[in-house]
Amino acid sequence: MDYQSLFEQITRAANPAALGGGHVVGHTPAPTTTDPTRFGFAVADLTAQVCGTGDWQVPFPIQSLSKLFTLAMVLASDGDNIWSRVGKEPSGSPFNSLTQLERDRGIPRNPFVNAGALVLTDRLISLTGHACEALRTFLRKESGNPALNFDMRIARSEQRHGHRISALAHLLADYGRLDNPVDTVLRHYFWQCSLTMSCHDLALAAGFLARHGLRADHSRLLTCSEAKGINAVMLMGGTYDAAGDFAHRVGLPAKGGVGGGIVAVIPGRGTLAAWGPALDRHGNSIAAVTALDTFTTHTGWSIF
Ligand code: GLU
């Protein structure tokens, strides 16, 4: 594959200044990571060789991308038991919907809506004693980046402003779906969202999903069927309530976050990570979706 010319095409197509529009999320002034002209893209193969273009080595807040990794960690311990606490269906509603959780009597629609993520964080606290630190350790190992860390300003700011997610956590507790105190679950959730990683780090960290559950060193994290399950749920619900449009355009399982990152998996071939802070109305990065669309259109490497 001639990545050089492919990267040039991607950079032209996904140039945020040319695409325009969108909005940036960020309660705290963090100019490096909220500058809407930023753009990065990385590809990792099955042997953990990684290359990229643009701002592919600039760390940004992973936000909801953290949900992908907490799901993997919980599945690695609990196996299929987790699916009795959280569903596998597309949500078709905003990721922070209270009415959907109420209609579903406290069983979140999938692990990637905020209520689902809280249930996973709750379980990870019980399994590890310290969910966000366990996640940081996991991500440092999988990405090979020992400097990967939390952004305290983001965690604290979201803690102050996160009224809706607090309401979701209280609703879950009211249905008896949390084993740990609401405040503890929320604290770990905000800190996990504040972890900052680059496209380079993310493409490597998600590699086990392309290797059918195997880490880069060939040790097994998940069974083939668990890895397949995560990819399937990502395809259905990883890109908010625009998962259908995303699947139509890109044709890969992927997870997005409001920090502007998207991680996509090409099972049996590799992983992609794209970043651009400006988001569309669903919460997906405009530049990242365009970059992934351009990549699969030119390589034909989609699952369809
Ligand atoms: N911390 C954000 C929230 O809970 C994450 C949202 C996202 O990336 O989807 O609202």
Side-chain angles (χ1 to χ4, degrees):
M1 175 62 56
D2 174 6
Y3 279 121
Q4 204 43 49
S5 94
L6 183 58
F7 285 163
E8 278 163 23
Q9 292 186 56
I10 288 172
T11 307
R12 254 195 316 278
N15 176 357
L19 287 169
H23 67 283
V24 170
V25 167
H27 298 301
T28 27
T32 342
T33 59
T34 54
D35 172 357
T37 65
R38 292 275 180 165
F39 170 70
F41 186 83
V43 189
D45 70 10
L46 295 182
T47 66
Q49 296 300 308
V50 58
C51 56
T53 187
D55 297 315
W56 68 298
Q57 310 208 57
V58 175
F60 59 88
I62 63 171
Q63 293 285 9
S64 269
L65 301 177
S66 62
K67 298 170 184 173
L68 177 57
F69 301 108
T70 53
L71 173 60
M73 291 172 78
V74 170
L75 258 179
S77 292
D78 282 359
D80 280 346
N81 293 332
I82 189 62
W83 299 119
S84 60
R85 301 183 62 174
V86 59
K88 311 182 190 89
E89 299 301 331
S91 79
S93 297
F95 69 98
N96 52 11
S97 170
L98 283 154
T99 49
Q100 184 168 73
L101 184 62
E102 169 114 67
R103 263 200 316 276
D104 292 346
R105 306 203 59 73
I107 302 289
R109 201 50 81 86
N110 67 53
F112 299 138
V113 293
N114 272 1
L118 289 169
V119 167
L120 292 173
T121 300
D122 175 57
R123 184 65 193 136
L124 199 58
I125 295 168
S126 302
L127 287 168
T128 64
H130 205 295
C132 61
E133 248 178 54
L135 176 65
R136 179 176 60 176
T137 304
F138 173 86
L139 289 172
R140 283 180 173 177
K141 182 157 178 266
E142 297 308 311
S143 69
N145 177 3
L148 182 162
N149 224 332
F150 305 107
D151 185 328
M152 199 191 309
R153 294 163 312 166
I154 291 173
R156 297 222 166 111
S157 162
E158 294 210 352
Q159 224 155 344
R160 266 197 310 278
H161 294 91
H163 302 301
R164 181 171 279 266
I165 187 138
S166 304
L168 282 167
H170 283 284
L171 195 52
L172 283 166
D174 188 62
Y175 280 112
R177 308 291 185 209
L178 298 180
D179 297 329
N180 295 284
V182 165
D183 287 350
T184 309
V185 176
L186 282 168
R187 192 171 65 250
H188 283 271
Y189 174 77
F190 290 128
W191 281 83
Q192 79 179 47
C193 288
S194 83
L195 280 162
T196 64
M197 294 172 73
S198 64
C199 292
H200 168 279
D201 298 339
L202 285 162
L204 290 177
F208 64 89
L209 289 170
R211 287 185 293 266
H212 307 291
L214 290 180
R215 297 187 180 90
D217 65 6
H218 303 293
S219 63
R220 188 162 284 288
L221 175 66
L222 300 174
T223 65
C224 286
S225 121
E226 286 162 352
K228 180 181 71 177
I230 293 188
N231 285 332
V233 176
M234 271 206 287
L235 184 73
M236 299 295 198
T239 43
Y240 304 101
D241 50 334
D245 185 56
F246 183 89
H248 183 260
R249 278 185 75 180
V250 177
L252 289 176
K255 179 75 198 95
V258 298
I262 302 185
V263 171
V265 180
I266 318 169
R269 207 184 266 275
T271 41
L272 309 172
W275 173 55
L279 308 178
D280 65 19
R281 67 191 169 87
H282 299 287
N284 291 312
S285 162
I286 296 171
V289 175
T290 307
L292 293 164
D293 179 2
T294 309
F295 182 92
T296 54
T297 301
H298 283 84
T299 57
W301 293 354
S302 92
I303 60 167
F304 299 108

